[in-house]
């Protein structure tokens, strides 16, 4: 195992750099494909979220791997290598495993313990499998990371400390008031219908907003989200209007509109949440000032009388102009301000500091235990092809000797030949049993990789035969659920 990760996150880089370094469109796919095409990587996967970009690879040379992965990150993010390098971190082998397992448990998140990262790790694995850039090592690693994250959430109270970035952002907007009290009766506009925007819409619906408008580039997706939320809150659908809107009325008024209708909805919104994949600004400061002026001109009762318009920008790069921070009447919370709030002692609301520290310590113990188990399993798996090649060689020797015996003693009957064959096989199996079992045990210990080399040297095994077993094993592990090989995914 030669696992290497090179990346940057909210812990190593300022938001201004993370924003510029974000991967948009199909850049994630291009990055892993280019990583696999470059030496010295043989596997590749990318974990890209709103506050981290990490490139994982199986490499055969550490220094060359770091240089290559760093260069690829710079090329695909568009940030110069000289500018990017000071913010990059590097983890290798067991430290890389420890890092990903910690990330999966939410220990490295902006909001400690948040669970959304598990979905993002699952997406990273799915992309690697789809593009065939994730082989045996990365498949095992990411699948185990998902299991470790789930174990941490089920066996500890890390959920008490952790929460979604959406919830954390809304709490910052509420400025100490309970989110349900702060949001009740307000009108909310959610721009985007992806996973983060959908979570924001669902959270606002539960908090009791009076009206929820979903604006999305694809109206159909926004309609599905609005309908789902309305049904959950005992709403019934009304007719589709000529403007392409669908109103769903009940305890929650939910509407879906095309994204080009955002400017018309802004003057009526008390809360705006935006998280799209746009490469440019979705809302400029000028557009927001215009909306404020239109809002002020609305007749009494046309919208809830909120003192400010609350803006939550969860996109990276940002959707909402940072200049909105300086516009009177607007209260903007974005990734940068969330990072600052999370760094403060009061930035992790929910449980007491003592309980949270206990939960974090429990999760760290789980991570350490799982890293040790993963390392042992990988080291043991590393020697398996050598053991298989040894036993294959022994079987070939037995077959060759039995064939030679047939030539020298052609009068043996079938029963005698079968008994001799079985006896020879038993002798060979007994001679090989103890050393192969012991070498597997030794290989699972730290530094045990050398035992495979020793076994190959002692028995003069053909390196190509060992490599063939490794390739077959890797192919079986990466085959899809419908693949005739029946491999794992």
């Amino acid at each position: 195992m030669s696992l290497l990760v090179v990346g940057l996150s909210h812990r190593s880089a300022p938001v201004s750099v993370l924003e510029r370094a974000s991967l948009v469109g199909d850049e994630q796919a291009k990055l892993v494909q280019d990583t696999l095409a470059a030496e010295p990587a043989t596997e590749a996967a990318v974990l890209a979220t709103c506050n981290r970009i990490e490139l994982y690879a199986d490499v055969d040379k550490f220094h060359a791997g770091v240089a290559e992965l760093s260069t690829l990150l710079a090329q695909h993010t568009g940030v110069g290598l000289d500018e990017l390098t000071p913010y990059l971190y590097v983890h290798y082998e067991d430290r890389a495993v420890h890092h990903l397992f910690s990330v999966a448990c939410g220990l490295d998140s902006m909001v400690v313990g948040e669970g959304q990262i598990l979905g993002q790790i699952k997406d990273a694995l799915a992309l690697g499998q789809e593009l065939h850039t994730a082989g045996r090592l990365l498949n095992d690693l990411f699948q185990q990371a998902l299991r470790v994250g789930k174990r941490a959430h089920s066996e500890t109270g890390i959920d008490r400390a952790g929460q979604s970035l959406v919830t954390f952002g809304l709490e910052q907007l509420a400025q100490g008031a309970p989110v349900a009290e702060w949001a009740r009766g307000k009108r909310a506009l959610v721009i985007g219908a992806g996973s983060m925007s959908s979570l924001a819409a669902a959270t606002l619906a539960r908090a009791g907003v009076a009206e929820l408008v979903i604006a999305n580039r694809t109206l159909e997706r926004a309609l599905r989200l609005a309908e789902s939320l309305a049904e959950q809150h005992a709403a019934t659908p009304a007719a589709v209007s000529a403007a392409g809107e669908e109103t769903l009325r009940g305890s929650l008024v939910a509407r879906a509109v095309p994204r080009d209708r955002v400017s018309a909805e802004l003057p009526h919104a008390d809360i705006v949440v935006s998280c799209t994949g746009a490469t440019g600004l979705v809302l400029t400061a000028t557009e927001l000032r215009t909306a404020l002026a239109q809002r002020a001109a609305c007749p009494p009762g046309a919208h809830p009388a909120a003192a400010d318009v609350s803006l939550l920008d969860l996109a990276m790069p940002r959707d909402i102009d940072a200049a909105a921070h300086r516009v009177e009447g607007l209260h903007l919370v974005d990734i940068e301000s969330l990072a600052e709030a999370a760094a403060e002692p009061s930035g992790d609301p929910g449980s007491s500091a003592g309980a949270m520290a206990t939960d974090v310590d429990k999760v760290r113990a789980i991570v350490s235990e799982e890293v040790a188990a993963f390392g042992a399993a990988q080291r043991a798996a590393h020697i398996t092809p050598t053991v298989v090649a040894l036993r294959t060689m022994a079987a070939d020797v037995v077959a060759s000797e039995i064939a030679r015996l047939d030539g020298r003693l052609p009068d043996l009957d079938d029963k005698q030949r079968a008994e001799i064959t079985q006896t020879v096989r038993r002798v060979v199996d007994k001679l090989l049993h103890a050393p192969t079992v012991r070498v597997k045990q030794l290989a699972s210990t730290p530094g045990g990789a050398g035992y495979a080399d020793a076994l190959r040297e002692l028995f003069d095994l053909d390196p190509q035969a060992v490599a063939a077993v490794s390739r077959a094993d890797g192919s079986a592990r990466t085959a899809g659920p419908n693949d005739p090989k029946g491999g794992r995914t």
Side-chain angles (χ1 to χ4, degrees):
M1 178 182 67
S2 300
L3 177 66
L4 173 67
V5 56
V6 178
L8 69 161
S9 73
H10 63 98
R11 294 187 182 274
S12 69
V15 172
S16 58
V17 173
L18 281 173
E19 183 178 37
R20 291 168 53 212
S22 61
L23 298 172
V24 297
D26 58 356
E27 280 298 325
Q28 292 185 39
K30 290 180 180 177
L31 174 57
V32 292
Q33 288 173 324
D34 286 354
T35 302
L36 198 62
E39 294 182 359
T42 57
E43 299 183 34
V46 62
L47 176 60
T49 73
C50 62
N51 52 36
R52 78 174 64 247
I53 300 174
E54 296 176 346
L55 184 55
Y56 290 77
D58 185 4
V59 300
D60 56 10
K61 298 175 183 177
F62 172 74
H63 293 292
V66 172
E68 188 65 40
L69 266 59
S70 301
T71 300
L72 286 166
L73 280 172
Q75 290 175 349
H76 285 270
T77 60
V79 179
L81 183 59
D82 290 343
E83 183 180 0
L84 191 64
T85 297
Y87 304 113
L88 295 177
Y89 46 78
V90 175
H91 299 298
Y92 191 55
E93 295 189 329
D94 283 353
R95 289 301 308 169
V97 177
H98 190 282
H99 175 74
L100 181 59
F101 287 4
S102 297
V103 169
C105 294
L107 293 180
D108 198 59
S109 296
M110 188 179 294
V111 182
V112 174
E114 60 93 9
Q116 289 182 48
I117 188 65
L118 286 175
Q120 293 158 337
I121 290 174
K122 186 177 180 180
D123 290 342
L125 174 59
L127 180 63
Q129 290 175 334
E130 177 187 347
L131 300 175
H132 305 289
T133 63
R136 181 179 62 82
L137 174 58
L138 293 186
N139 268 280
D140 287 353
L141 175 69
F142 276 74
Q143 288 173 6
Q144 187 66 17
L146 291 171
R147 287 190 286 268
V148 174
K150 292 174 183 177
R151 179 187 171 192
H153 284 282
S154 65
E155 294 184 13
T156 75
I158 195 69
D159 287 334
R160 294 197 301 266
Q163 57 198 310
S164 74
L165 203 60
V166 169
T167 305
F168 188 42
L170 292 176
E171 287 180 344
Q172 297 305 303
L173 287 176
Q175 297 179 300
V179 171
E181 291 183 10
W182 167 80
R184 188 176 299 122
K186 287 186 169 67
R187 294 184 176 183
L189 169 63
V190 175
I191 306 174
S195 58
M196 190 75 80
S197 297
S198 298
L199 180 58
T203 303
L204 288 167
R206 287 195 303 271
V209 294
E211 183 177 9
L212 183 60
V213 179
I214 312 295
N216 193 52
R217 183 173 52 83
T218 305
L219 180 59
E220 182 182 358
R221 190 168 184 177
L223 287 172
R224 287 198 301 268
L225 177 57
E227 181 178 10
S228 173
L229 291 173
E231 287 177 352
Q232 292 175 31
H233 293 270
T236 55
V240 177
S241 72
E245 304 174 6
E246 180 176 313
T247 302
L248 301 142
R249 300 190 177 279
S251 58
L252 171 70
V253 176
R255 291 191 291 121
V257 302
R259 206 163 86 183
D260 58 13
R261 292 288 307 280
V262 165
S263 58
E265 297 293 338
L266 273 177
H268 310 288
D270 302 300
I271 305 169
V272 179
V273 179
S274 188
C275 186
T276 72
T279 55
L281 291 176
V282 174
L283 295 176
T284 67
T286 300
E287 290 171 323
L288 289 167
R289 289 191 184 95
T290 299
L292 283 176
Q294 293 173 342
R295 180 183 176 88
C298 287
H303 58 76
D308 294 333
V309 175
S310 300
L311 308 170
L312 177 58
D313 185 358
L314 297 172
M316 183 68 74
R318 70 181 73 235
D319 277 349
I320 302 176
D321 194 341
H325 282 293
R326 301 188 295 273
V327 177
E328 186 177 355
L330 299 178
H331 178 200
L332 172 62
V333 170
D334 52 21
I335 293 294
E336 190 165 18
S337 54
L338 285 175
E340 294 172 355
E344 299 173 357
S346 59
D348 278 316
S351 61
S352 68
M356 175 180 160
T358 299
D359 292 330
V360 168
D361 286 344
K362 288 179 181 178
V363 173
R364 285 175 176 162
I366 288 174
V367 169
S368 296
E369 175 188 330
E370 293 283 357
V371 169
F374 183 83
Q378 289 295 310
R379 288 187 290 270
H382 178 71
I383 204 168
T384 297
T386 302
V387 172
V388 171
L390 173 60
R391 288 193 171 274
T392 300
M393 184 191 75
D396 290 343
V397 170
V398 170
S400 176
E401 290 301 313
I402 293 299
R404 193 167 69 91
L405 182 65
D406 284 341
R408 297 180 62 182
L409 299 174
D411 296 332
L412 288 174
D413 59 35
D414 290 344
K415 182 177 180 181
Q416 291 170 327
R417 185 181 295 104
E419 185 62 35
I420 293 172
T421 301
Q422 186 63 26
T423 298
V424 175
R425 286 175 177 169
R426 281 200 299 267
V427 170
V428 171
D429 285 342
K430 287 182 178 180
L431 286 174
L432 291 181
H433 176 72
T436 53
V437 169
R438 184 60 179 148
V439 79
K440 285 183 178 181
Q441 293 172 341
L442 293 170
S444 67
T445 62
Y451 288 101
D453 297 331
L455 204 61
R456 288 193 294 270
E457 186 68 25
L458 287 170
F459 287 91
D460 193 23
L461 295 177
D462 182 2
Q464 294 301 320
V466 176
V469 175
S470 299
R471 287 193 296 270
D473 180 57
S475 176
R477 286 168 180 262
T478 56
N482 298 320
D483 193 293
K485 296 174 183 174
R488 299 183 305 171
T489 58

